[in-house]
Amino acid sequence: MAVRAMNSCVIFRSAATPPLAVSRRCCCVRQLTAFSRHRNRSNSHSFLRCVPYPLSHVTVRNYSVQNLVEMVMEELASIHKRGRVRATSELESVSTGELLEDKLKKGTLQKGLLLEFKKDSERLLLAVALKPDGKKNWMVSDQFILLVFDDQNGITTSIKPQQVTFIVPGAENFEPTEISEFVQKAHDNLDPALLEFAWNELLEKNESVTVQELAEMIFGSAEPLETYCAHLLLSRDEVYFAVLESKGLSVYGPRTANQVDELLRRKLAKEASEKEFEELIQFLRSAKQMPHYDKPPRSSWKAEEKTWHKIESLEAFAIDSCKNDDQKKTAGMILKAMGQAKTSSAAVNLLIDIGYFPVHVNLDLLKLNLPTDHRDEIISAAESLLSTSIDLDEADRIDLTSLKVYAIDVDEADELDDALSATRLQDGRIKLWIHIADPTSLVQPGSIIDKDARRRGTSVFLPTATYPMFPERLAMEGMSLQQGKLCNAVSVSVVLRSDGSIAEYSVENSIIKPTYMLTYESATELLHLNLEEEIELKILSEAAALRLRWRREQGAIDTATIETRIKVTNPDHPEPSIKLYVENQADAAMRLVSEMMILCGEVIATFGSHNNIPLPYRGQPQSNIDASAFAHLPEGPVRSAAIVRTMRAAEMDFRNPIRHGVLGLPGYVQFTSPIRRYMDLAAHYQVKAFLCGEPLPLSAGELEGIASSVNMTTRVVRRLSSSSLRYWILEYLRRQPKGKRYRALVLRFIKDRIAAILLTEIGIQASSWVSIGVQIGDEVDVQVEEAHPRDDILSLKEVEAV
C-alpha cells in the first residue's frame, strides 16, 4: 500500500499503483457525520467535522510503513461503518437509475423533497417542493446556491420538470427555513482535492461512478448532505470527470491523464486571466474616483499589452467599431464588472470617467477614423522638399511684387491660399488680380505627398483643431502666402466691363509679396474708414458690388446667411475656453472675398473650355421654382433658408463647363484653395501643365475617378465639421446663465405653432413653439431650457419680450 496526503485528508492507494510522495502538513481522516433526516439540532455543531487521527498514536519504531497503512485502513473502515446509514426508499429509487423526468411524470415528487433546479442561465437554486401546480409543474420555495450562499428570504416559484437538475436523496420532509444552513454546511466542506483522489482511484480501475458512489468513496457515506456535496463537486468540476450519462442518474467517468493535464493547464491560464481582469477592474474603479488632474494619462493605458487589449476593446465598443465578437465580449465583461449597462454610451462615460477619453471627446472623429497625423515618411518627404526644392517655373513667373496685395481671412487661419489686388485703368475700368498659392511648385502629381493628400481629400477644420491636407510645416512655410515675403503664386487677372462682366482675363505663374494680412473684421473697418491710401481695397469692394449685380441679372440666387465659427482652447480640459464668432455672409469684407473667389472660378472654367483642358467643372441646375416666388419673404436669412431648401443637387463634368444656376455662371471651377482642397490642387496640376507646355497629367476619366473618391471623403468631413460645430455651440449655450434671453428669427413653421428659428446672436437653427400671431420673419425672445451636447438636445421656449 502507498499513502498520499492531500489537503489534510489521507488518500490510500493500492500497492499496485506507483507510489506518490507524502507532502501535506497534516494527515487526518475527515469524518462527515450524517445530516440526519430528522436534523437533530443537538448534533448540528459536529456537522462535517474534521476528526484528526495523529500518526503519533502509532509507535512508528515498531511498525513498518505497510503495517501503519493497514492500521489506518482498519480505522477508516470502522469510521465508514459507524457513519453509514442505509439509504431511504427515496435514495434507493434514485440509485436504481430512475430518471428525474420519469420521477416527476409519475408524480413521485412530493412535498418536502429537497431539489435543485435551474432558475436562469446564471443561477441554480436549492428548493423544497411544496405542492403540484397544474398537471406537470410544482410550486417550490427556493434559495440561491450557485452565486450566493448567504441567507435569503425564500421565494415561492412554479417550476417545470425540465428545470429540475438534482433531487437530494433521502432529504424528506425538509423545511424551506433549513435550506440556508444546509447550503452553508455543504459549501464549507467542499474540497476539490477530494475529486483528484477519486479520479486517481477510478482511472486506475477504469471505472465510472454515480454521485452516491462518489459520496461513499470520498466521504464514507451517502447521506443527503454527503451526496449533495458530491453532486456539487461533480457539477462544478471542469477537469477530472466527464459525464457519461446525463439523464436522471448521471454517471461520471474519469478523464485520461493527458486530458487532465491539458485541462489543468487551461484552468491555470483561465485563473491567471481572471486575476488580471480583476486587477484591471480594481484599477478602473480607482481611476474613476481620482480627480481630473490625477487620472492616468492616455498613454499609460497602452503601456502593457494585456491592459491595452481590453481598453482597446472598450473603445471600439464605445464608437461602434468592434472588429470581432471577442472585442464585444471583452467590453461587455468590463461594463458588467463595473456595474454599467452594456451600451456604447455607458462605455463612453466609463472611458471619460477613467481619463482615457477627455470629457468633450469627439466621437464622430473617432468613428470616422479620419487621418489626423501624417506618417513619418510623409513628414520626411515634406522636409526634403523644403530643404532641396527648386522652382521649375521661376523663369516663367511674372513679377507682381509692385502690387499692393491684400490677404483677407479669419483671424485664426493657418493656411492662406489666396490674396487680392486691384487698380483702376486709365479708361475707368477695373482690373483685378486673384493670387492663388502655388503648391504645385513643390508637389508633383503621383508623388508620395500628392498621394497622401489625395487620400485625405481636404483639410479638416474643427473647433478644437485643424488637420491639414499637407504636413503642417510644408503647408505653412512652403506653400502658404506670407506677409512681406516673396511667394510663388498663380495669378488670375481680370478686366471688368462697367456691368460687371468679364472683358479680359489671363492666367499666369507669378511671384508676389503680400502687403496686408487682414481679418474680415479689420477689412470691413478699413472699408468703412474709406482711407485714401487704401484706395485699392475700395476698388475691390466696388468690383465685388458690380459682380454681384451682374450675377443676379444672370439668375444667381443670393444665399448669404449667418455663419458661426467657434474656437476652443485646451479642448481636453473639462471646462475649456470657448470663443464664438457669428459672421454675416452679407458683410462687406466677406462679400468682397466671396465675389473674387467666384470670379476666379468663372475665369478658370472659361480658360479650360477655350483650351480643351479637362477640369473638375462644377454646376448646379436651376431650381424649378422661380426666385420671384420668395419675394414676399424678408431678404436675408429667412429668404435664403427658403431658397436653399429648394436647391437641386450639384453636378460635375470633367470635359466641358456646365451652368451653375445658383451662382449665375456659364461655368465654374474651384481653384482658390489648393492647399486645403485636393480637387483645387488637381485643377492646378492641369492648368500649370498647360501653362508650361507640358502634357496634362490627368485625363477626364482619371479626374472623374479621383473626384468620386475625394468628394466622398469631403462629404464625410463636412458632416463631421457640422456635428462638431453644433456640439460646441450647445456646450456654449449650456454654460450660459440660466434664464438668459436670445433673439430668434422665425424662418418657417414646421407644424402648427412649432417653428424653425434662427438664434441670431448664436447662429444656430433650432425649433420652438411660438405664440399665436407670430409670423415668418418675426423676431421672438427665447430661453434655453435644456442643452445637452453629447445627446444633441437643445430645448427652447418662447418668453415674453421685455
Side-chain angles (χ1 to χ4, degrees):
M1 296 288 289
V3 183
R4 182 182 182 188
M6 298 174 59
N7 288 2
S8 303
C9 179
V10 176
I11 297 177
F12 302 90
R13 296 175 61 84
S14 68
T17 61
L20 298 173
V22 180
S23 60
R24 299 297 181 187
R25 295 188 301 271
C26 168
C27 293
C28 69
V29 177
R30 187 181 300 246
Q31 178 184 9
L32 303 183
T33 60
F35 186 75
S36 171
R37 181 179 307 171
H38 304 291
R39 288 161 299 283
N40 188 333
R41 296 304 180 188
S42 64
N43 294 328
S44 64
H45 66 279
S46 62
F47 180 80
L48 285 176
R49 181 183 305 158
C50 180
V51 182
Y53 288 83
L55 294 181
S56 61
H57 284 220
V58 182
T59 305
V60 179
R61 292 189 302 270
N62 299 331
Y63 295 93
S64 66
V65 173
Q66 183 173 353
N67 289 337
L68 176 61
V69 172
E70 288 175 353
M71 290 177 63
V72 178
M73 286 292 290
E74 290 174 2
E75 183 64 28
L76 179 60
S78 175
I79 294 169
H80 286 179
K81 185 175 181 181
R82 291 196 302 270
R84 185 178 295 115
V85 180
R86 176 170 297 277
T88 63
S89 58
E90 176 66 26
L91 173 60
E92 291 173 348
S93 172
V94 174
S95 64
T96 58
E98 183 175 11
L99 302 182
L100 289 175
E101 187 176 352
D102 293 338
K103 188 176 184 67
L104 293 171
K105 287 182 178 178
K106 291 178 181 179
T108 55
L109 184 62
Q110 58 191 16
K111 180 179 179 181
L113 287 183
L114 187 61
L115 56 86
E116 179 187 283
F117 74 95
K118 194 174 185 68
K119 179 72 172 180
D120 51 43
S121 61
E122 295 184 348
R123 291 183 297 171
L124 289 175
L125 302 179
L126 197 62
V128 174
L130 299 179
K131 62 181 179 179
D133 183 27
K135 293 183 179 180
K136 297 182 179 180
N137 296 355
W138 267 78
M139 297 298 295
V140 299
S141 180
D142 61 64
Q143 296 285 331
F144 288 107
I145 68 166
L146 183 59
L147 302 179
V148 183
F149 285 91
D150 54 347
D151 290 340
Q152 302 274 340
N153 292 325
I155 301 173
T156 301
T157 308
S158 177
I159 64 171
K160 299 177 181 179
Q162 55 266 37
Q163 290 178 256
V164 178
T165 56
F166 187 71
I167 296 177
V168 180
E172 298 177 353
N173 300 320
F174 212 91
E175 293 295 331
T177 56
E178 298 172 326
I179 293 178
S180 292
E181 181 185 5
F182 184 89
V183 169
Q184 186 62 52
K185 290 178 178 179
H187 180 246
D188 289 344
N189 289 274
L190 291 181
D191 186 355
L194 296 174
L195 279 181
E196 184 179 357
F197 152 65
W199 171 75
N200 272 302
E201 294 296 320
L202 294 170
L203 181 64
E204 177 186 348
K205 298 176 182 179
N206 194 25
E207 293 180 355
S208 57
V209 67
T210 64
V211 174
Q212 291 80 10
E213 290 169 347
L214 182 67
E216 286 276 4
M217 183 176 186
I218 61 178
F219 298 126
S221 171
E223 288 298 307
L225 180 64
E226 288 83 349
T227 302
Y228 185 60
C229 286
H231 162 71
L232 288 179
L233 287 170
L234 286 169
S235 62
R236 298 177 184 184
D237 173 50
E238 298 177 349
V239 176
Y240 297 104
F241 289 91
V243 180
L244 302 180
E245 182 181 338
S246 60
K247 288 189 176 181
L249 184 65
S250 295
V251 177
Y252 299 83
R255 290 188 169 100
T256 67
N258 288 339
Q259 289 175 328
V260 167
D261 287 344
E262 175 61 21
L263 289 172
L264 283 172
R265 185 190 66 78
R266 294 182 185 178
K267 182 180 180 183
L268 289 174
K270 180 181 178 182
E271 289 172 351
S273 176
E274 290 173 348
K275 182 181 179 181
E276 288 178 1
F277 183 79
E278 183 57 33
E279 289 174 350
L280 172 65
I281 296 303
Q282 292 301 325
F283 188 48
L284 292 177
R285 289 172 179 157
S286 175
K288 189 175 178 181
Q289 298 302 317
M290 294 177 183
H292 167 74
Y293 51 82
D294 275 344
K295 291 186 186 294
R298 182 184 176 96
S299 58
S300 67
W301 298 100
K302 301 181 181 181
E304 294 187 19
E305 182 63 29
K306 58 187 180 182
T307 300
W308 169 235
H309 169 73
K310 295 178 178 63
I311 295 299
E312 185 181 33
S313 297
L314 188 62
E315 178 182 7
F317 186 79
I319 61 176
D320 302 318
S321 64
C322 287
K323 298 175 183 177
N324 49 54
D325 290 339
D326 180 58
Q327 285 194 325
K328 292 181 181 178
K329 180 180 178 182
T330 300
M333 290 171 58
I334 293 173
L335 290 169
K336 182 178 179 181
M338 294 296 291
Q340 303 292 320
K342 190 179 177 180
T343 63
S344 59
S345 60
V348 170
N349 290 333
L350 176 57
L351 289 169
I352 291 174
D353 289 342
I354 65 173
Y356 180 80
F357 277 168
V359 172
H360 299 289
V361 57
N362 192 327
L363 294 176
D364 288 336
L365 180 61
L366 295 176
K367 290 178 181 179
L368 294 172
N369 197 29
L370 293 173
T372 53
D373 298 324
H374 289 85
R375 303 191 307 274
D376 290 343
E377 58 182 334
I378 303 299
I379 294 176
S380 177
E383 293 298 320
S384 178
L385 284 178
L386 287 170
S387 62
T388 63
S389 179
I390 299 175
D391 181 14
L392 299 177
D393 303 317
E394 184 176 2
D396 297 326
R397 293 190 186 278
I398 61 170
D399 187 349
L400 299 179
T401 56
S402 61
L403 293 176
K404 184 179 287 188
V405 178
Y406 298 90
I408 305 172
D409 211 326
V410 294
D411 57 356
E412 71 273 11
D414 297 320
E415 307 159 350
L416 289 174
D417 293 276
D418 53 79
L420 306 170
S421 299
T423 189
R424 193 178 299 277
L425 300 177
Q426 290 184 352
D427 60 7
R429 293 184 301 173
I430 294 174
K431 184 173 182 178
L432 307 166
W433 286 268
I434 302 101
H435 310 289
I436 310 301
D438 186 10
T440 62
S441 64
L442 294 172
V443 179
Q444 299 302 310
S447 66
I448 184 174
I449 294 179
D450 170 71
K451 289 178 179 178
D452 186 68
R454 182 187 301 182
R455 181 174 64 93
R456 294 169 181 269
T458 179
S459 294
V460 181
F461 299 96
L462 303 178
T464 53
T466 296
Y467 304 108
M469 185 172 73
F470 290 111
E472 185 174 1
R473 208 167 83 84
L474 178 63
M476 293 286 291
E477 298 180 20
M479 299 176 176
S480 181
L481 302 179
Q482 300 177 61
Q483 184 176 5
K485 293 186 178 181
L486 297 177
C487 302
N488 293 336
V490 177
S491 293
V492 174
S493 65
V494 182
V495 176
L496 296 181
R497 297 189 179 96
S498 59
D499 63 354
S501 62
I502 299 173
E504 303 171 18
Y505 71 85
S506 67
V507 180
E508 297 170 296
N509 291 314
S510 66
I511 185 167
I512 63 172
K513 189 176 182 181
T515 312
Y516 294 115
M517 296 295 185
L518 302 176
T519 64
Y520 287 112
E521 293 80 3
S522 59
T524 298
E525 185 177 351
L526 281 175
L527 286 170
H528 288 161
L529 290 174
N530 197 22
L531 299 175
E532 187 63 32
E533 55 268 30
E534 302 300 335
I535 187 64
E536 294 86 354
L537 189 61
K538 184 178 180 181
I539 294 172
L540 282 169
S541 180
E542 181 184 339
L546 286 174
R547 285 292 299 171
L548 177 60
R549 184 168 64 245
W550 179 83
R551 288 195 305 109
R552 285 177 173 173
E553 290 171 355
Q554 310 309 309
I557 299 173
D558 187 6
T559 58
T561 185
I562 291 175
E563 190 175 73
T564 302
R565 289 186 298 109
I566 279 186
K567 186 69 174 178
V568 179
T569 305
N570 195 15
D572 288 346
H573 193 274
E575 293 288 328
S577 171
I578 303 175
K579 289 185 178 180
L580 183 141
Y581 306 87
V582 180
E583 298 163 342
N584 189 340
Q585 293 177 335
D587 173 81
M590 297 196 80
R591 282 281 197 195
L592 186 159
V593 174
S594 176
E595 286 300 328
M596 295 303 104
M597 299 305 105
I598 293 171
L599 174 59
C600 181
E602 182 186 358
V603 169
I604 294 299
T606 304
F607 179 79
S609 177
H610 287 173
N611 295 289
N612 297 316
I613 304 174
L615 290 170
Y617 298 101
R618 295 178 179 270
Q620 193 160 16
Q622 202 81 34
S623 172
N624 295 327
I625 302 176
D626 191 271
S628 61
F630 304 100
H632 66 288
L633 297 174
E635 191 173 357
V638 175
R639 185 182 297 180
S640 294
I643 292 173
V644 167
R645 294 181 67 238
T646 67
M647 288 168 54
R648 298 165 66 181
E651 299 174 351
M652 292 189 75
D653 194 288
F654 302 92
R655 293 172 176 82
N656 300 294
I658 51 178
R659 176 169 173 75
H660 202 299
V662 174
L663 296 180
L665 301 177
Y668 178 70
V669 174
Q670 284 188 334
F671 193 76
T672 59
S673 297
I675 303 178
R676 61 182 79 177
R677 293 193 302 238
Y678 188 83
M679 292 312 297
D680 292 41
L681 181 68
H684 273 246
Y685 285 145
Q686 299 291 85
V687 170
K688 286 292 296 291
F690 180 84
L691 291 176
C692 296
E694 297 174 353
L696 302 181
L698 301 168
S699 67
E702 288 171 328
L703 270 176
E704 185 172 3
I706 293 171
S708 176
S709 173
V710 169
N711 289 343
M712 186 180 301
T713 303
T714 302
R715 285 193 292 270
V716 170
V717 170
R718 191 179 295 121
R719 289 197 299 270
L720 171 64
S721 299
S722 177
S723 65
S724 300
L725 178 63
R726 181 174 175 83
Y727 176 95
W728 286 105
I729 291 176
L730 295 186
E731 175 63 14
Y732 177 85
L733 289 172
R734 185 188 69 82
R735 297 189 190 182
Q736 301 309 301
K738 190 172 181 63
K740 182 177 179 179
R741 293 168 174 263
Y742 301 91
R743 295 295 287 169
L745 185 64
V746 177
L747 302 177
R748 61 188 175 89
F749 283 97
I750 301 171
K751 183 180 180 182
D752 298 330
R753 302 308 302 173
I754 299 176
I757 60 176
L758 173 67
L759 274 63
T760 54
E761 302 158 82
I762 306 297
I764 187 174
Q765 290 192 24
S767 61
S768 175
W769 184 92
V770 296
S771 55
I772 296 174
V774 174
Q775 302 295 321
I776 293 176
D778 289 351
E779 287 191 343
V780 296
D781 283 356
V782 296
Q783 287 180 346
V784 175
E785 289 191 306
E786 287 184 281
H788 300 297
R790 181 68 64 205
D791 300 320
D792 192 22
I793 294 175
L794 176 61
S795 177
L796 305 171
K797 70 172 182 179
E798 183 189 9
V799 293
E800 187 176 347
V802 178

